Amino acid sequence: MSDTTTAPPPVATARPPSPPFTGRSVLAVWRRRRLARSWPAVLSWLVLVALVLVAVVGPLLVQADPLRQTSSALLPMGSSGHLFGTDDLGRDELARLVHGARPLLLVAFAATTLAAVVGTGIGLVAGYAGGVVEQVLMRIVDLALAFPSILLVILLVAAAGPGTVSLVFGIGVSLAPGLARLARALTAREAAHDYVVAAKLGGTRTSRILARELLPNIAGPMLAQVVMTLSIAAGFAAGLSYLGLGIQPPQPDWGYMVQAGQEFLYTAPRLVVLPATFTLLFVVACNFVGDDLRDALDVRGPA
């Protein structure tokens, strides 16, 4: 007879239920990623996300036509059918605020993307190549930085003519040099590390080193600076629209709404205060979010 005994079958254990999806769990994930660790950062993230949502989905939710003129001019806030009242031409102010967010934010994001692509590309090449290439590229960058940014934007937009495309191009080109200097400094620091030297000795192509080795390692600080640059782009876009060089009427735009409402600053201050406040909130939120990203993504920052 055999003395072997069979082991008892394993007892199945019930899988613990997943924790409910709550706002606190989302905030905990952000805290583990070192994001939103202070109340100004949390508030700035919320404001930034809210304004982007207003620009993206707001026009789909507001039924009023922002261009429709009526005889009900300068109705006060809280009027029937017009929560924020009407402007001097009887147009619904809430609809104009919501529809005015999209063109301003679109220009700001597009111009910042252009500046990030151009500036990061120049900085990567200059920081990695060094020598004559770096000297030539950075002298051009220094020359652009010596010229006041707002004057450069006005010059480029005035030369190309008012409009969205010229606005994006002018703002993007004027903001690229600042990002190029940062990218060059970060790239030069990373290029001295052993992993880049090993890639060179291994015969890796320059384009692959730039895209696969250097770019991911400078992406964190660059992303933080790009978000801060977004606030500058939004300020430029609103300022140029105020001067009549940006987004053209009748398209509603926060910058142009400030210019159009300043005539009624004392009789209907909301026509100026509301678009100016939303622009200010977006600019300030971008700066605080950029600071938060810089602290979270910089390996030398606080743990």
Side-chain angles (χ1 to χ4, degrees), residues 68 94 111 259 269:
R68 182 173 178 268
L94 175 60
Q259 189 273 338

Side-chain angles (χ1 to χ4, degrees), residues 44-68:
S44 298
W45 277 103
L46 292 176
V47 169
L48 184 60
V49 172
L51 291 177
V52 172
L53 288 177
V54 167
V56 174
V57 303
L60 303 177
L61 302 178
V62 177
Q63 300 299 323
D65 186 355
L67 303 180
R68 182 173 178 268

Side-chain angles (χ1 to χ4, degrees), residues 229-261:
T229 303
L230 179 62
S231 67
I232 303 176
F236 280 170
L240 289 173
S241 294
Y242 176 86
L243 295 175
L245 296 175
I247 300 168
Q248 297 298 297
Q251 172 68 48
D253 170 75
W254 289 348
Y256 175 75
M257 290 172 66
V258 173
Q259 189 273 338

Side-chain angles (χ1 to χ4, degrees), residues 30-52:
W30 280 44
R31 294 291 174 83
R32 286 199 298 270
R33 294 179 180 272
R34 303 195 303 173
L35 287 171
R37 292 181 296 171
S38 62
W39 70 264
V42 174
L43 184 60
S44 298
W45 277 103
L46 292 176
V47 169
L48 184 60
V49 172
L51 291 177
V52 172

Side-chain angles (χ1 to χ4, degrees), residues 123-135 137 187 191 200 206 210 214:
L124 275 171
V125 173
Y128 178 75
V132 177
V133 175
E134 179 183 17
Q135 291 296 322
L137 290 177
T187 302
K200 289 181 182 179
T206 300
L210 293 176
L214 290 172

Side-chain angles (χ1 to χ4, degrees), residues 187-276:
T187 302
R189 185 185 67 184
E190 293 295 326
H193 289 176
D194 293 339
Y195 71 92
V196 178
V197 177
K200 289 181 182 179
L201 296 177
T204 306
R205 291 180 302 176
T206 300
S207 59
R208 187 176 180 85
I209 293 177
L210 293 176
R212 300 292 296 274
E213 303 292 344
L214 290 172
L215 183 58
N217 285 283
I218 70 171
M222 287 300 301
L223 177 60
Q225 188 62 36
V226 165
V227 174
M228 294 184 186
T229 303
L230 179 62
S231 67
I232 303 176
F236 280 170
L240 289 173
S241 294
Y242 176 86
L243 295 175
L245 296 175
I247 300 168
Q248 297 298 297
Q251 172 68 48
D253 170 75
W254 289 348
Y256 175 75
M257 290 172 66
V258 173
Q259 189 273 338
Q262 66 182 359
E263 181 180 352
F264 309 95
L265 182 61
Y266 296 104
T267 56
R270 55 185 170 79
L271 298 180
V272 173
V273 172
L274 289 176

Side-chain angles (χ1 to χ4, degrees), residues 141-148:
V141 169
D142 291 340
L143 181 62
L145 287 173
F147 201 78

Side-chain angles (χ1 to χ4, degrees), residues 75 82 100 108 135 181 234 271 275 282-283:
L75 290 179
H82 303 284
Q135 291 296 322
R181 290 194 66 176
L271 298 180
F282 182 77
V283 170

